[in-house]
Amino acid sequence: MSSSRSDAVEFPPLTERQASVLRAVVASYVGAGGPIGSQTIAHLLAAPLSPASVRNTLTELTGLGLVDKPHRSSGRVPTERGLRVFVDTLLAPATLPRSERRDIAYRLDEVDGDRVVSAASELLSHHTRQLGFVIAPRFARMRVRHVSLVRLSTERVLVVLVTASGVATRRVIDADREFDQPSLDRVASSLTERVAGRTLAEVRCDLEREARALRRDANALLAWTLELGRRAFEACDDEEGDLVIATRMALLDQPEFRDPCRLRELFAALEEEERLLEVLGQILEPEGVSVAIGEELDDPGLRRCALVASPYGGAVGQRPLGVLGGIGPSRMDFSRVIPLVDYCSEVVTGRLTA
């Protein structure tokens, strides 16, 4: 499973000793959040290495910009560059325990289609202990199963579109003429026959073409069926995917976010939904899991964070339905978060494209 950015900087290969020491520094940093000394590193290494040799290797890694010494008398911590090298070249592929996979699949399977997205966000937060998020699917890319029309007034109609996976969207449109409910039921039935199993984008042009062909036809009800369908689908086609964050409590477990100022910076960045979508567009790979760390996120509120994200839904070569992932401190346990995001993407894809 790939988890690197396509524009990531290439680094010279590390020696086996440098790689093992960098792994130890990252592992300790993820666990403790602070600098690690040479003696502690020596105890963590699988192959015996003296503290003096560890210190020499740390000096080499510092020269490469992969570790840093925050204070004169402290140990070392990985830099953002070091974390990037770890993720791209040293992180071993990992799979989720069967029990976790079962729990995620079960919980996403038991919720209605409308709640899949919020349930996925909550599960990501719970299992990663980071801020789980989902960009909800744009409705126009989902396959429609059923159309309902409900008369609200003489000239206003409620349109309810239900996808194959059970997700529903509702829009009110102007009808320009009075329909009784039985007539609307016939219109809805006719539209359902035309659109079932297809996306809004696939049927909109067909409806417009059929409507043009009927301009001289005497079948007024069919003409209005096509016109109402066009208006209904245009209204839903304008719907953009929303940012869904079911809970933010998991972030409070991270010591980095016990600082109110830093927490406010992050939440302010998340409030600007368009900005987050822009950031995701810059770092997201078409397939698989993408990882961005610190400055790669190019947003003041996110620059001390890490983001792991994956697209979901859509066949290979097609635009995805949305994006999901986790945001947390750069001291993120990537070996755990990456497979969690990857598996959640797989399960959500199955639910929304069934």
Side-chain angles (χ1 to χ4, degrees):
M1 175 180 57
S2 172
S3 60
S4 62
R5 297 180 61 195
S6 59
D7 61 346
V9 177
E10 292 188 5
F11 299 99
L14 300 179
T15 66
E16 185 176 342
R17 176 181 293 184
Q18 289 171 337
S20 63
V21 170
L22 181 57
R23 283 194 193 94
V25 173
V26 172
S28 178
Y29 181 62
V30 167
I36 179 174
S38 55
Q39 289 188 338
T40 304
I41 293 175
H43 290 301
L44 292 175
L45 297 176
L49 201 61
S50 68
S53 296
V54 171
R55 284 194 293 272
N56 290 336
T57 306
L58 287 172
T59 300
E60 295 167 359
L61 293 173
T62 301
L64 292 172
L66 304 182
V67 301
D68 191 20
K69 193 174 184 179
H71 307 289
R72 186 171 184 178
S73 60
S74 69
R76 303 300 206 284
V77 296
T79 62
E80 290 179 2
R81 182 184 175 100
L83 290 171
R84 169 53 62 191
V85 170
F86 172 78
V87 169
D88 286 353
T89 65
L90 303 180
L91 185 60
T95 57
L96 291 183
R98 184 176 299 177
S99 59
E100 262 189 310
R101 293 168 68 92
R102 237 187 346 252
D103 178 65
I104 292 171
Y106 171 76
R107 292 181 183 277
L108 289 178
D109 189 56
E110 70 175 357
V111 298
D112 296 333
D114 283 339
R115 293 199 61 249
V116 168
V117 167
S118 60
S121 173
E122 189 170 356
L123 282 169
L124 283 164
S125 292
H126 173 72
H127 284 274
T128 65
R129 305 314 302 165
Q130 311 294 332
L131 186 75
F133 72 89
V134 181
I135 304 298
R138 186 171 180 177
F139 196 88
R141 297 178 193 151
M142 304 180 74
R143 300 198 175 276
V144 178
R145 182 179 69 198
H146 183 75
V147 180
S148 294
L149 301 174
V150 180
R151 181 175 181 268
L152 298 179
S153 66
T154 56
E155 295 182 349
R156 302 190 76 203
V157 173
L158 172 66
V159 181
V160 182
L161 301 182
V162 182
T163 70
S165 58
V167 177
T169 190
R170 298 162 182 83
R171 286 292 182 272
V172 176
I173 62 172
D174 295 326
D176 289 348
R177 57 165 284 185
E178 184 174 351
F179 285 96
D180 57 22
Q181 190 57 49
S183 295
L184 286 176
D185 291 341
R186 290 194 296 273
V187 170
S189 178
S190 179
L191 285 173
T192 297
E193 290 178 5
R194 284 170 165 77
V195 306
R198 306 170 70 192
T199 67
L200 302 189
E202 289 172 342
V203 302
R204 193 170 57 184
C205 290
D206 289 345
L207 289 176
E208 291 176 352
R209 183 166 51 250
E210 193 175 351
R212 285 195 298 270
L214 277 171
R215 282 176 181 169
R216 296 182 180 180
D217 196 288
N219 192 334
L221 182 60
L222 178 56
W224 272 106
T225 295
L226 300 174
E227 176 60 20
L228 281 180
R230 184 188 66 80
R231 294 183 186 185
F233 299 157
E234 280 185 349
C236 293
D237 194 30
D238 292 336
E239 183 179 279
E240 296 287 348
D242 293 324
L243 173 65
V244 178
I245 299 175
T247 177
R248 306 185 182 194
M249 296 302 293
L251 277 185
L252 301 182
D253 292 340
Q254 307 295 338
E256 291 87 345
F257 294 110
R258 290 173 190 163
D259 177 359
C261 292
R262 186 166 180 186
L263 198 60
R264 276 197 300 271
E265 286 179 354
L266 174 59
F267 287 166
L270 296 176
E271 288 299 324
E272 297 182 24
E273 189 171 320
E274 291 183 4
R275 180 60 187 142
L276 180 61
L277 291 173
E278 183 180 337
V279 169
L280 285 168
Q282 293 170 353
I283 67 115
L284 198 67
E285 299 287 350
E287 298 176 29
V289 180
S290 301
V291 177
I293 304 167
E295 295 291 330
E296 295 171 351
L297 289 166
D298 194 26
D299 186 280
L302 299 174
R303 283 181 181 164
R304 290 185 289 174
C305 296
L307 184 150
V308 178
S310 174
Y312 66 84
V316 176
Q318 295 181 348
R319 294 181 67 183
L321 292 177
V323 181
L324 57 76
I327 299 173
S330 57
R331 184 188 57 86
M332 183 185 285
D333 187 355
F334 297 104
S335 63
R336 173 166 174 75
V337 175
I338 289 173
L340 271 164
V341 169
D342 190 46
Y343 184 67
C344 278
S345 170
E346 177 186 329
V347 177
V348 171
T349 295
R351 279 299 316 271
L352 296 182
T353 58

